[in-house]
Amino acid sequence: MQWNSSKVQVSVVDFDNLDNHKAAFEDHDIGFCCLGTTRADAGSAENFVKIDHDYPLKAASIFKSLAKRDVKFMLLTSAGSNANSFFLYPRTKGLLENAVINLGFKALGIFRPGLLFFEGERPKARFFEGVGISVVKTLGLQNTVGAPTSTVGAKMAKAGLELNDGVTIFENADILKQ
């Protein structure tokens, strides 16, 4: 992926060895985490938890520990995140939110979109997700149950610049507000 901005630094890291990539986390004011997968793509519940909980938490922990000043963190989770859920996906997202809150960032934005609508071709097609998105769009519900990825990214960037203190949770409706 190529970026045309001097303000964006792209670092490729090995998530199984994040401690070897600490330089990628130093000297930044705002951290963004949008890492996530599905249980099917992960291959198992254990791998899903590793990718959706352990890796983001480790990244946030390293970012916070290396900061020489108060820093902000923007975390993408999901609508329905709930640490007490019986279901793996919302429970994992909820546990991650709680763990990142406990790290004590100066400002933390938690973003909980519903379905993510990709502009153009999705990197990897998912049959049932495609069916769900088609139904949502046919019924005209895309502005209530999901958000375009570009809108989520723009809201996260804006919040990263504007949030100054505490934890702010952005539900899907908040993400869609201008």
Side-chain angles (χ1 to χ4, degrees), residues 104-163:
F105 283 98
K106 173 187 178 188
L108 172 63
I110 297 175
F111 298 81
R112 296 176 174 171
L115 287 171
L116 290 174
F117 300 110
F118 286 82
E119 296 81 11
E121 195 70 24
R122 181 175 171 77
K124 181 180 178 188
R126 297 177 180 152
F127 177 75
F128 290 110
E129 183 180 60
V131 170
I133 288 172
S134 293
V135 169
V136 165
K137 287 183 175 180
T138 300
L139 296 174
L141 299 173
Q142 59 266 38
N143 289 336
T144 57
V145 298
T149 55
S150 60
T151 301
V152 175
K155 189 69 167 198
M156 290 179 77
K158 183 177 181 187
L161 295 173
E162 294 178 352
L163 294 180

Side-chain angles (χ1 to χ4, degrees), residues 17-172:
N17 296 294
L18 274 180
D19 286 321
N20 295 335
H21 301 280
K22 288 185 176 180
F25 297 90
E26 292 179 325
D27 299 323
H28 301 291
D29 298 318
I30 309 168
F32 292 86
C33 182
C34 301
L35 185 63
T37 189
T38 64
R39 183 175 176 164
D41 285 345
S44 69
E46 179 180 282
N47 284 341
F48 169 78
V49 170
K50 181 168 75 169
I51 294 166
D52 273 51
H53 178 277
D54 300 349
Y55 289 165
L57 179 57
K58 180 71 173 181
S61 298
I62 291 172
F63 179 65
K64 178 78 164 100
S65 72
L66 295 176
K68 295 180 176 85
R69 59 196 169 281
D70 284 334
V71 292
K72 304 175 187 182
F73 198 74
M74 304 297 119
L75 176 66
L76 179 66
T77 61
S78 176
S81 296
N82 180 345
N84 298 313
S85 176
F86 174 77
F87 298 102
L88 179 67
Y89 189 87
R91 181 178 62 245
T92 301
K93 296 294 190 179
L95 290 170
L96 173 62
E97 289 178 1
N98 291 347
V100 173
I101 288 169
N102 288 333
L103 292 176
F105 283 98
K106 173 187 178 188
L108 172 63
I110 297 175
F111 298 81
R112 296 176 174 171
L115 287 171
L116 290 174
F117 300 110
F118 286 82
E119 296 81 11
E121 195 70 24
R122 181 175 171 77
K124 181 180 178 188
R126 297 177 180 152
F127 177 75
F128 290 110
E129 183 180 60
V131 170
I133 288 172
S134 293
V135 169
V136 165
K137 287 183 175 180
T138 300
L139 296 174
L141 299 173
Q142 59 266 38
N143 289 336
T144 57
V145 298
T149 55
S150 60
T151 301
V152 175
K155 189 69 167 198
M156 290 179 77
K158 183 177 181 187
L161 295 173
E162 294 178 352
L163 294 180
N164 290 315
D165 236 350
V167 177
T168 304
I169 296 176
F170 297 88
E171 300 291 351
N172 196 74

